[in-house]
Amino acid sequence: MVAQQRRIVVVGAGSGIGAATATHFHERGDHVLAVDLNANDTPASQHEQCDLRDAGEIAALLGRIGADWDALAYVAGVPGTAPVADVLGVNYLGMRLFTIGMLPLLRQGGAIVTVASVAALGWEQRINDLAGLLAAGDADTVAQWQATQDPAYPVYSTSKQASIIFTKRLAPAAWQKFGVRVNSVSPGPTETPILTDFEASMGKEVLDSVKATIGRHAGVADIVPVIAFLASPESRWVNAQDIHVDGGFVAPLTVGPAIEL
């Protein structure tokens, strides 16, 4: 039996997890709109270019793609080695504008999945600290907020913490008004083209310790099935969740040492 074709928007489809996500849905026969800053040859039914740092470009894209989509996977992200404005602009504000703009374009029963990161660890303790960022709806306000922050705190972590909190806050209203579920996925270190950027910003020794603890870094094939599940009807009662896909690395950091067997 051939699965019914679905209509999926994948943002950040040019490389890494985003490209693998678009390819996954394309290969199962879905109609995929691959969105990226750069032109690319990711397998998809449609391609669109969009600078996610530009609210006008996001609005224009959403205005021309039409409605009746089944899912949005917002996978786009830039590492902490990028300019601060770009990190917050793509990882948080661009995600916020794109997901809110997609809600009326999604069918009832649809889903939004955003990709966060285990680098957001500790977000629960920073909800009040991030209140100004979470209230910001444009780039100028985001920049004004960031100017008051400790420059030593990793902005990549800030962007992903805000993404998780925003996702959890958006989910109840999205479900009640549009019948759309909103969840996030937080990968651990993953073998993608920007892994070296993460080594530069987080420290290669830190990522090497993660690899030594759990045996390897993730591959895109470890992450994509979780995105696909959250975007599917099979996860119909999963909403407002952040799912760690990290091989179990984070758990001992939050609940204490692993049980010895």
Side-chain angles (χ1 to χ4, degrees):
M1 180 178 177
V2 178
Q4 181 179 358
Q5 186 186 58
R6 302 172 72 231
R7 287 165 48 81
I8 316 289
V9 178
V10 180
V11 181
S15 64
I17 297 171
T21 300
T23 301
H24 167 85
F25 286 118
H26 179 78
E27 290 181 344
R28 74 180 296 279
D30 291 327
H31 180 101
V32 177
L33 168 57
V35 179
D36 201 83
L37 174 63
N38 302 310
N40 59 81
D41 58 1
T42 298
S45 309
Q46 296 175 249
H47 288 83
E48 290 275 1
Q49 290 179 244
C50 183
D51 186 342
L52 298 165
R53 299 166 297 183
D54 187 325
E57 285 203 23
I58 292 173
L61 173 62
L62 294 173
R64 65 178 179 265
I65 65 173
D68 294 326
W69 296 94
D70 292 287
L72 163 67
Y74 190 98
V75 193
V78 296
T81 50
V84 169
D86 291 353
V87 176
L88 290 174
V90 174
N91 296 1
Y92 171 64
L93 183 59
M95 178 278 300
R96 174 186 177 131
L97 297 175
F98 211 106
T99 55
I100 290 177
M102 273 295 298
L103 281 172
L105 306 182
L106 288 162
R107 294 170 176 159
Q108 186 164 0
I112 294 174
V113 186
T114 65
V115 172
S117 171
V118 296
L121 186 65
W123 63 264
E124 299 94 333
Q125 288 74 49
R126 296 203 74 216
I127 293 174
N128 290 335
D129 295 337
L130 298 175
L133 178 58
L134 290 160
D138 61 82
D140 287 344
T141 309
V142 169
Q144 291 166 12
W145 177 86
Q146 179 59 29
T148 68
Q149 303 304 301
D150 179 358
Y153 194 91
V155 71
Y156 181 80
S157 294
T158 291
S159 72
K160 295 302 187 178
Q161 290 166 347
S163 294
I164 291 172
I165 298 167
F166 174 79
T167 294
K168 288 179 174 290
R169 288 182 173 179
L170 178 64
W175 174 254
Q176 291 161 17
K177 183 172 182 178
F178 296 99
V180 170
R181 296 174 299 103
V182 187
N183 295 286
S184 60
V185 171
S186 283
T190 305
E191 297 284 357
T192 67
I194 62 171
L195 182 62
T196 54
D197 293 282
F198 288 116
E199 290 176 342
S201 61
M202 298 178 180
K204 188 174 186 302
E205 68 283 356
V206 173
L207 296 192
D208 284 347
S209 72
V210 175
K211 188 174 184 178
T213 300
I214 58 178
R216 64 177 176 86
H217 288 324
V220 294
D222 298 309
I223 312 301
V224 170
V226 184
I227 296 172
F229 170 68
L230 291 174
S232 75
E234 285 75 19
S235 62
R236 60 187 174 272
W237 208 236
V238 181
N239 194 30
Q241 302 303 307
D242 178 59
I243 310 298
H244 278 197
V245 190
D246 65 347
F249 173 73
V250 165
L253 304 179
T254 57
V255 300
I259 294 172
E260 304 249 350
L261 297 175

